[in-house]
Amino acid sequence: MRGFEYASPTTKEQAVSLLGSSDDDAMALAGGTDLLSLMKDDIVAPRRLVNLKDVAELRGIRLLPDGSLRIGALVTVQELLDNAIVKRGYASLIHAADGITSPQIRAMGTVGGDLCQRPRCWYYRAGFGLLAKDKDGAALVPEGDNRYHAILGNTGPAYFVNPSSLAPALIALGAKLHIFGSGGQVEMNLENFFAAPTSANEKEYRLKPNEIVTEIIVPSAGGWKNATYEVRQKESLDWPLAAASVALKMSGKTIESARVVLGHVAPVPWRSGEAQAYLAGKTISEQVAETAGTLAVARASAMSHNGYKIQLARVAVKRAIMKAAQGGQR
Amino acid sequence: MSDEKKPDKQGLSRRGFLKASGISLSVPLVLNYRMVKAAGAEVKVLGPGKAPIQLTINSKPFTAEVEPRVTLLEALRNDLDLTGAKRVCDRATCGACTVIMDGKPVYSCSVLAIEAQGKKITTVEGLMQGERLHPVQQAFVDNDAQQCGYCTPGFVVACKAFLDKNPNPTPEEVKRGLGGNLCRCGTYVGVRAAVLQASRGRKGGQRG
């Protein structure tokens, strides 16, 4: 790891002021489980780290007067799992957080860090860049070892999958994100935070080098049955191969409205408009859930080694819908 | 970037200070940090050179001089002669470096030594009670819960942290609760039996 300066401010204003105009100048440190690894591999090399863990206002989970839930960006995954309000109404978040199976990662890793962790794409991690090109500018992924890469939104130049465990659940629950920068606070839908990069100097999320995520606002899940289903190769210490989070507004056995978001299948958390449109007005059944799964991957396309993920994603959507309809119990 | 003094300017003023005060240059004068103005406050910025740190490990105070880039694991092993925690993946994915920080299991490879100041740190060296093994350590011995032994210190610490939070776990909870540690020899059955034995506080774990 290259040398760097270290500062530990106590307010978000100080933190933003200590950041710079590029990641080479400075980067924000939260749980550290991803950032320090990236620095050890020389994928990023900031001249300064700004530790956010002493900024008290970035912590805490609380209900807001309008019934929505405010989750501080520095809340750890374990704190999220242990929170009584989250446990009561947000099953899909619990399922997703529970999928982060290492107790150490849960104790260290933060909600903001989960959203801002960088892709696990091994080309990126090996120094070929986020868009993974060889020295002549040819894309390495489509004919390379792409067994964990994207099956949706994979027309290039980005082929990696978004690594966030919590983003699909939060997006399906309608979460908003608060970002603080030199211009003050900005609110955006979490869904709009993510964008597939189109050039090498872009990231997969919209956060300037001198901005920080401060909190996530999740609307009341009252009336929305929600669940997450992950398909994984290993039970621990790895990311899922495919995941789906759903939120269903039900009236008896009828689905009035549905939100379906897939994880680990595209460069962004992938909302399936097709599955959502199909589900609206349907009476819940295994057959309906299965058809929704099939529609969710209707536009999927395999690269040379990841065709199996299409089936996994289809099944993840089906099982997440059934799990939500049954009350989101594990 | 915030309003801050350039390092060369600082160097000049240090020389100026030395000249003016007549202190011999052979006396080390270490400027370990500088103050940077950020949002109306003065914030201490350390490094990239060494800075003194104070750590509380196994209830004892330790001091060292480390660069900000030094991880807690490196400080333990290289500066403080506490070599129980092992460096294996060094990327927060294997658990061999696990220590307990403020009651929570953490990968010490992914904590900076400088940010571990003010925290209560327990390493595997702090588990023995006098000459007696900690119940988790004894259970590892009784259940053959190690082969090559490289993952063992991290596993023992992770098991202690798990049992502190879940004193009476089911076998399924044990399995899930140790999901942050890898054993390439595959001694998981022994480790799980050890945890169940330690949770019951008696000799003779149950395999399978």
Side-chain angles (χ1 to χ4, degrees), chain A residues 66-90:
Chain A
D66 69 351
S68 56
L69 187 67
R70 179 267 187 198
I71 304 170
L74 267 282
V75 166
T76 65
V77 176
Q78 191 64 51
E79 286 166 352
L80 190 69
L81 274 169
D82 291 342
N83 185 275
I85 307 165
V86 179
K87 277 192 217 173
R88 206 159 49 232
Y90 301 93

Side-chain angles (χ1 to χ4, degrees), chain B residues 144-161:
Chain B
D144 284 337
Q146 62 273 307
Q147 290 186 54
C148 85
Y150 217 76
C151 71
T152 308
F155 245 123
V156 167
V157 174
C159 291
K160 183 200 183 287

